[in-house]
Amino acid sequence: MSDLAPGLSIPNQASYWTGTPLPGTKTYALMRTWLAPEMPRPGCVWTHVLIIEFADIARFPDLSILTRYLERPAFEKGFESYSVPINIASLSVDYYLSQNYSILDKKDAYHTIRALYSDHASGVINASLGSMDSLIFAIWSQQWPRLRRSFSFRTAASSINTFSAIRKFDLIVTQNSYDQIYEVDNYESPFKEAAWEDCSVNDLIHPGITDFRRFLWRYGSDIQNGRNHFRDLANIYISTREEKLSRESLYQLLANISKTLSSPNDGKVLKEDLIAPSKYSLLPKTDPIEILDFIITNSIAKKPPAFSYKILESIQENWPTRSDQILSIAEQAAQQDTDFGFDFLSKLATIVEPSTFLATTTTRPHLRNKLLRLNPMLLDSPDLATLLQTELFNYIKYIPTNNNTVIKSILPRLIVLDNFNVAKEIIRLYPNLTISTVLETVDQDFIRERSDTVSEVWINLVATYSDVILQGGFIERARTTSNLSFLAAILGYGLQQVLDMGPIPWAKGLKNAKDILRGADRQSFLAFLLEIALYKPITGCEPLFEIAFEEIHTDLLYSKLNYQKTASLLNHLPNLGWLKNWDTCLRLRTAVVEAYIKNNLNPKSFQQLTANNELYMELIEIAEGTKGGHRYLNKGGPSVFKEV
């Protein structure tokens, strides 16, 4: 490139400029070439090359200052000075602007930027030697650092070799007349200036650190293939000269950016400043929710996604005041299948409040379905009862079987519902947790004296899991006799499995349970306790006799115990012969006394069986007539007889 340009003919004292990057050494070569007629060989030239580090290219507000450091070599001066680095002082912007800046021709400027940046840029302009030098340096100075480093140009070329020169340079100047073979801008051809051209030319002829140049430098920094995007950046600059972008202008801008900078990493700084402005942003204020709406509703923004995912960070901030708008956008996202849409819905699933979720998605079925898949915890809503049975059953399937946290949270709302299919599925998947929740809720209901928090459907299904109930500690943890009665009822009272379990769980339950049971349920429960105590009278069963004996004895005495309960109790009473068997109360007293004496139950408990002295005397009489009875009564101490 330091040789004479092929086919070029210039005056002896003239010169031309060549600029080209040297990527291998991360430097840029700026060259000035003169003819060397003093040399004996025809066509010889002198070329002075100034090597500039890429890092230094950005330091000059006006790169034309470099031109003063390139000199035509002379034999008499020697060549040693050309091997010495040139030190250029750090000069202020004011210094550059105070220099005699060449007045640029506006018409030339239009032709040159069109040849360089337009859709069908030829990269070629036709002008006399040297007439475009200042303009080309001005254009080079206008570029942002990355584009500067890649910009290649030559200010003199022969039209005969234009094609080969175009392959080497972004911009060349031909000295010959216009040649139809090449796409060379003709000064005489009419054209209408575009807005981006006006913006660029006005900046060129008014040199300095302008707003436009600041814009180019900030947002051109990470753009690939910058020369092809110069015009796009200029148009974006023009469209953003407002304090705040309206919805229409914002959407137009977003569509432009999506189309021209479609790669996610192309123009990343620009996109992030548009979405979440930094303190260095040169863009007007924008509405992040409107940007979100654009990304979701415009196909141009999806393939590939053109905007930073930082937009998702604004959802939570705007949620309190704009939740309905965000949900409307999300409903559209739920009907699509894009990576960004999935990330948007995933973010939203963590923000939406379960308490309002079902109510706000009544008319948004796709969104409801997608968000429940992402976060089944959203079912924990007071509006759960408003769901159709089939709808709720389908949503239940979204709950991970290994996530007890979700099901534990929503079970209190589910067990209120009279939905057999849901109840059956839940208890199948989470038997222990469901049974525990139902039974503990019932226990709380008895304390709070209410009965509307568990549906009969759930209770009936729980009752089929008698093994879990008997072995799960629910009887022992009961806090009221009403709950103990409920457990006995759903277990089936005299069921053999219950009898075989023995009286100890019930005795432990009675120890801490508050006795609030009244009415017919109390009678049934006490009769059951007597049955189970008489079936397996072992040490520790005494509380069952203490609470049940006297009341059931009284009910028998006055024929208040119905036939079914009486018949069931008779199965556990001794046969006293045909003369005495008619006396059910006697048989009951005998059974209880024998249970205490034969199984060596606590004599102190025997004293607590009744507060009725007459009834107590009858028990003592039976005990005295029983083998070992007198000795047993003596174990209780004098108080046994003293009380009598």
Side-chain angles (χ1 to χ4, degrees):
M1 288 189 178
S2 63
D3 291 344
L4 180 66
L8 183 65
S9 177
I10 61 174
N12 287 345
Q13 300 304 314
S15 64
Y16 62 90
W17 296 89
T18 303
T20 186
L22 307 174
T25 58
K26 294 185 179 181
T27 58
Y28 191 94
L30 178 63
M31 297 177 274
R32 189 174 183 182
T33 302
W34 297 263
L35 289 179
E38 67 272 28
M39 302 301 289
R41 182 178 176 181
C44 283
V45 294
W46 293 108
T47 297
H48 183 189
V49 185
L50 189 62
I51 304 296
I52 311 161
E53 297 282 349
F54 274 172
D56 290 331
I57 286 287
R59 296 178 180 231
F60 302 98
D62 184 355
L63 288 163
S64 66
I65 193 174
L66 299 173
T67 60
R68 69 183 66 181
Y69 296 98
L70 287 92
E71 300 178 351
R72 186 183 190 282
F75 281 111
E76 60 273 13
K77 292 183 179 179
F79 305 108
E80 291 78 9
S81 62
Y82 291 96
S83 62
V84 179
I86 299 173
N87 293 315
I88 302 177
S90 178
L91 303 175
S92 67
V93 174
D94 292 336
Y95 173 83
Y96 285 102
L97 300 182
S98 67
Q99 304 305 299
N100 294 325
Y101 197 90
S102 301
I103 298 176
L104 304 178
D105 183 87
K106 199 169 186 179
K107 187 176 180 182
D108 288 343
Y110 274 109
H111 279 283
T112 306
I113 64 166
R114 176 172 285 188
L116 188 60
Y117 301 128
S118 69
D119 262 344
H120 304 289
S122 64
V124 181
I125 54 175
N126 189 268
S128 59
L129 186 65
S131 64
M132 306 296 283
D133 292 358
S134 295
L135 176 59
I136 290 174
F137 274 92
I139 288 174
W140 191 23
S141 299
Q142 187 183 56
Q143 296 172 344
W144 56 91
R146 189 172 186 172
L147 184 54
R148 282 183 175 188
R149 296 195 297 265
S150 65
F151 181 53
S152 61
F153 63 91
R154 174 166 279 173
T155 63
S158 168
S159 61
I160 298 174
N161 295 284
T162 300
F163 181 74
S164 61
I166 289 174
R167 298 177 65 181
K168 294 180 180 179
F169 300 104
D170 297 326
L171 182 66
I172 59 173
V173 182
T174 61
Q175 271 64 58
N176 300 75
S177 59
Y178 177 74
D179 192 327
Q180 293 291 339
I181 298 176
Y182 308 106
E183 293 184 11
V184 181
D185 276 324
N186 189 339
Y187 282 5
E188 302 305 322
S189 61
F191 63 86
K192 182 179 180 181
E193 296 86 355
W196 74 270
E197 293 174 330
D198 288 337
C199 180
S200 304
V201 169
N202 289 333
D203 182 74
L204 286 172
I205 64 177
H206 297 94
I209 309 301
T210 63
D211 288 343
F212 177 61
R213 204 162 296 201
R214 288 191 183 93
F215 188 92
L216 292 178
W217 279 47
R218 176 163 178 77
Y219 299 121
S221 61
D222 60 357
I223 288 181
Q224 307 292 326
N225 201 1
R227 185 162 67 93
N228 292 339
H229 288 301
F230 182 93
R231 181 186 60 170
D232 300 323
L233 275 183
N235 282 327
I236 292 171
Y237 171 80
I238 294 167
S239 64
T240 56
R241 297 307 93 199
E242 303 175 30
E243 185 175 346
K244 184 176 181 179
L245 294 175
S246 66
R247 182 184 180 92
E248 183 179 350
S249 58
L250 174 61
Y251 279 28
Q252 188 173 357
L253 172 64
L254 294 172
N256 182 24
I257 294 175
S258 297
K259 181 179 179 181
T260 57
L261 302 172
S262 59
S263 172
N265 292 323
D266 214 4
K268 190 174 180 181
V269 174
L270 171 67
K271 295 168 186 174
E272 290 185 351
D273 270 3
L274 194 63
I275 293 166
S278 71
K279 64 179 180 180
Y280 303 109
S281 174
L282 302 176
L283 296 171
K285 295 179 181 178
T286 57
D287 184 342
I289 303 305
E290 288 185 351
I291 295 176
L292 177 65
D293 183 37
F294 173 85
I295 297 174
I296 296 300
T297 59
N298 288 268
S299 59
I300 194 173
K302 297 170 189 169
K303 297 181 179 179
F307 294 93
S308 166
Y309 280 64
K310 278 192 174 182
I311 191 68
L312 299 180
E313 297 174 7
S314 65
I315 297 175
Q316 188 156 4
E317 181 182 347
N318 286 274
W319 177 254
T321 57
R322 304 177 69 179
S323 58
D324 190 64
Q325 183 182 4
I326 294 172
L327 288 173
S328 295
I329 298 171
E331 172 66 9
Q332 296 183 65
Q335 299 177 55
Q336 303 167 1
D337 185 20
T338 65
D339 290 341
F340 181 86
F342 177 80
D343 289 339
F344 167 36
L345 295 177
S346 298
K347 179 71 174 180
L348 188 59
T350 66
I351 296 173
V352 175
E353 288 291 333
S355 60
T356 59
F357 170 71
L358 293 177
T360 55
T361 56
T362 301
T363 58
R364 299 176 175 118
H366 298 92
L367 177 61
R368 175 183 283 183
N369 190 59
K370 285 286 181 71
L371 290 189
L372 284 174
R373 281 179 179 271
L374 292 167
N375 183 11
M377 188 69 81
L378 293 174
L379 282 172
D380 189 13
S381 167
D383 298 298
L384 195 65
T386 64
L387 296 179
L388 298 174
Q389 290 199 13
T390 54
E391 187 181 14
L392 177 57
F393 183 74
N394 289 332
Y395 293 153
I396 291 299
K397 296 177 182 177
Y398 299 155
I399 302 174
T401 54
N402 61 348
N403 191 338
N404 281 0
T405 302
V406 175
I407 196 65
K408 190 174 183 179
S409 176
I410 68 171
L411 258 176
R413 299 192 187 280
L414 290 174
I415 61 178
V416 180
L417 307 179
D418 188 20
N419 189 325
F420 177 78
N421 289 332
V422 169
K424 184 179 179 181
E425 182 69 5
I426 291 294
I427 202 168
R428 181 184 72 82
L429 295 172
Y430 311 93
N432 293 330
L433 181 58
T434 305
I435 292 168
S436 176
T437 302
V438 168
L439 297 184
E440 287 175 6
T441 303
V442 170
D443 192 18
Q444 293 172 5
D445 286 350
F446 283 122
I447 294 174
R448 294 178 297 188
E449 297 183 355
R450 57 183 297 182
S451 59
D452 58 346
T453 57
V454 183
S455 166
E456 196 69 26
V457 167
W458 293 83
I459 291 174
N460 292 338
L461 284 170
V462 165
T464 63
Y465 288 79
S466 55
D467 287 343
V468 178
I469 298 173
L470 288 170
Q471 298 171 15
F474 301 107
I475 298 170
E476 294 90 328
R477 293 195 301 271
R479 291 180 289 178
T480 65
T481 51
S482 294
N483 190 38
L484 285 171
S485 171
F486 164 78
L487 292 171
I490 65 173
L491 286 170
Y493 290 116
L495 191 69
Q496 189 61 44
Q497 184 184 15
V498 179
L499 295 175
D500 290 341
M501 188 72 179
I504 300 304
W506 302 96
K508 290 181 178 178
L510 285 171
K511 183 178 181 181
N512 298 313
K514 183 179 180 181
D515 190 5
I516 62 173
L517 185 63
R518 299 291 181 268
D521 289 340
R522 180 178 182 85
Q523 186 187 69
S524 297
F525 177 58
L526 294 182
F528 160 74
L529 291 182
L530 267 183
E531 283 186 57
I532 199 169
L534 290 170
Y535 179 78
K536 189 179 286 189
I538 58 176
T539 300
C541 75
E542 292 89 343
L544 278 65
F545 286 114
E546 292 172 18
I547 192 174
F549 167 70
E550 184 174 5
E551 288 191 40
I552 295 300
H553 185 276
T554 301
D555 288 343
L556 281 172
L557 183 63
Y558 294 104
S559 301
K560 291 182 179 180
L561 193 66
N562 67 36
Y563 174 80
Q564 185 178 1
K565 293 184 180 66
T566 301
S568 180
L569 183 61
L570 285 173
N571 291 327
H572 306 283
L573 301 183
N575 186 348
L576 301 181
W578 65 274
L579 287 175
K580 296 182 179 180
N581 269 354
W582 65 268
D583 191 347
T584 306
C585 288
L586 175 61
R587 291 176 67 185
L588 174 61
R589 293 194 298 272
T590 303
V592 171
V593 170
E594 288 181 350
Y596 268 83
I597 294 173
K598 291 180 179 179
N599 296 283
N600 197 28
L601 301 185
N602 191 341
K604 295 291 184 183
S605 172
F606 188 85
Q607 298 175 34
Q608 306 298 321
L609 287 175
T610 178
N612 185 313
N613 282 342
E614 184 178 347
L615 178 58
Y616 190 67
M617 284 290 293
E618 291 176 340
L619 293 175
I620 293 297
E621 184 179 347
I622 295 172
E624 286 286 350
T626 303
K627 183 179 179 180
H630 186 75
R631 185 170 60 254
Y632 174 80
L633 292 175
N634 284 333
K635 289 181 181 178
S639 61
V640 173
F641 301 100
K642 189 177 182 181
E643 184 176 335
V644 176

